[in-house]
Amino acid sequence: MGYAVLVERNWFTLRRFEIPVLPPGTGPLRVLHISDAHLTPGRKRLMSWIRSLDDLDPHLVVNTGDSIAHRRSVEPFLDSLGPLLGRPGVFVLGSNDLFAPQPGNPAMYLRGPSSRKLKKKAPDLPWEKLSDRMAAAGWLDLNNKRGQLTAGGLDIAVAGVHDSHIERDRYAEVAGRADPGADLRLGIMHSPEPRLLDQFATDGYDLLLAGHTHGGQLCLPWYGTLVTNCGLDRQRARGLHRHPAGGQVWLHVSAGLGTSPWAPARFACRPEASLLTLVPRDSS
Ligand SMILES: [Fe+2]
């Protein structure tokens, strides 16, 4: 436990993937995917590591939620983003942006999804301030919204949903064919529920990005993830995979940057951000 709390939780890693989703003759497009920072104001190492990600020179930043874990975390999180906020960006929220973490038995998550207690509560974290500040910096709020942006010279159609883990997703508000004239169609969500993946894929999105799973957070070497905390199978709890709908859409699930302050341990599942380099599809 000492290793999991003191070492691995602060042993950040950058994962890199190349994804062939762009039209021939375009790109590459560098997309930085961050998720699940669960930032508390004292996490200086995490904050400075997030800030260093600007050196990757991404064309687009995608934040799939659970950014904060304390009512005084909005400013530290925005400070961490620093120059990244000056780049094109999109975001959705996760349940932990709305609800402060509660103490509990960390082993309970092994028994199934954790959302039940949150559905009837009123939010007690400043999620509106967090959203407003990211939006004021120019990032697109994709909580049950569609949008269009230009990044790296490419025309990108985007859509997202709020967190299905607390039943705030409203796919009907973004449903419909993704713009076939765009260079890229990107769908984002916090929790990668298979029914949402199916819907985005059927509507023609090329690449789906999600977080929430923490990659399982406490994993077993040579076995991997124990639970995903949602309906996704554990084999796809993190990393790049295909989803078998709509022509095998690409799915990237981030294992996330942080942990709940009440379960401050990671094992065989280092905290991460991902640099996704989008390249042209194989035209053969
Ligand atoms: Fe999370």
Side-chain angles (χ1 to χ4, degrees):
M1 278 308 287
Y3 162 81
V5 173
L6 299 173
V7 178
E8 187 163 317
R9 187 181 181 224
N10 289 303
W11 191 15
F12 310 109
T13 187
L14 179 75
R15 301 203 185 277
R16 295 174 186 264
F17 297 96
E18 192 172 280
I19 313 176
V21 284
L22 295 182
T26 62
L29 183 81
R30 291 183 299 279
V31 178
L32 175 65
H33 182 187
I34 59 173
S35 197
D36 296 85
H38 292 260
L39 192 71
T40 46
R43 295 213 63 200
K44 304 286 187 217
R45 283 188 211 172
L46 173 55
M47 290 163 63
S48 65
W49 196 73
I50 294 172
R51 181 171 271 268
S52 75
L53 296 171
D54 188 66
D55 295 344
L56 299 168
D57 195 21
H59 298 105
L60 174 67
V61 185
V62 176
N63 176 8
T64 47
D66 274 8
S67 302
I68 58 173
H70 191 281
R71 60 193 164 81
R72 289 198 300 273
S73 291
V74 173
E75 295 299 338
F77 181 67
L78 296 167
D79 281 353
S80 308
L81 293 176
L84 288 169
L85 278 175
R87 298 178 180 274
V90 298
F91 68 93
V92 288
L93 298 176
S95 60
N96 288 279
D97 294 313
L98 280 67
F99 300 104
Q102 301 286 324
N105 177 356
M108 286 300 286
Y109 87 107
L110 295 171
R111 297 179 56 182
S114 58
S115 61
R116 253 167 260 124
K117 277 192 299 184
L118 295 175
K119 287 174 190 164
K120 293 180 190 158
K121 283 178 57 177
D124 55 356
L125 287 182
W127 63 270
E128 288 164 304
K129 179 180 175 187
L130 174 66
S131 292
D132 289 350
R133 293 287 300 276
M134 288 192 286
W139 285 16
L140 281 184
D141 178 346
L142 293 181
N143 288 289
N144 302 324
K145 292 188 175 84
R146 293 172 71 138
Q148 202 85 20
L149 62 87
T150 301
L154 297 179
D155 181 22
I156 305 173
V158 288
V161 287
H162 204 308
D163 190 359
S164 57
H165 197 58
I166 48 172
E167 300 180 355
R168 289 186 178 236
D169 58 305
R170 303 286 180 267
Y171 193 84
E173 293 176 21
V174 301
R177 192 87 194 132
D179 181 3
D183 296 311
L184 173 70
R185 289 148 289 272
L186 186 62
I188 76 167
M189 70 211 85
H190 179 65
S191 180
E193 272 310 325
R195 65 178 165 78
L196 292 172
L197 303 178
D198 289 347
Q199 286 170 305
F200 276 114
T202 303
D203 277 339
Y205 288 87
D206 303 301
L207 171 63
L208 308 180
L209 303 184
H212 175 70
T213 65
H214 296 196
Q217 192 169 319
L218 301 172
C219 297
L220 291 181
W222 301 293
Y223 179 80
T225 303
L226 295 169
V227 291
T228 64
N229 203 16
C230 64
L232 192 69
D233 51 281
R234 60 180 195 81
Q235 286 77 17
R236 294 186 292 168
R238 59 175 157 162
L240 183 66
H241 298 277
R242 306 302 287 265
H243 184 68
Q248 295 279 322
V249 63
W250 290 97
L251 167 66
H252 179 261
V253 180
S254 171
L257 291 154
T259 67
S260 162
W262 296 102
R266 296 185 72 120
F267 188 76
C269 188
R270 288 170 64 185
E272 67 178 37
S274 301
L275 187 67
L276 311 175
T277 301
L278 310 192
V279 298
R281 286 184 290 270
D282 185 358
S283 54
S284 61

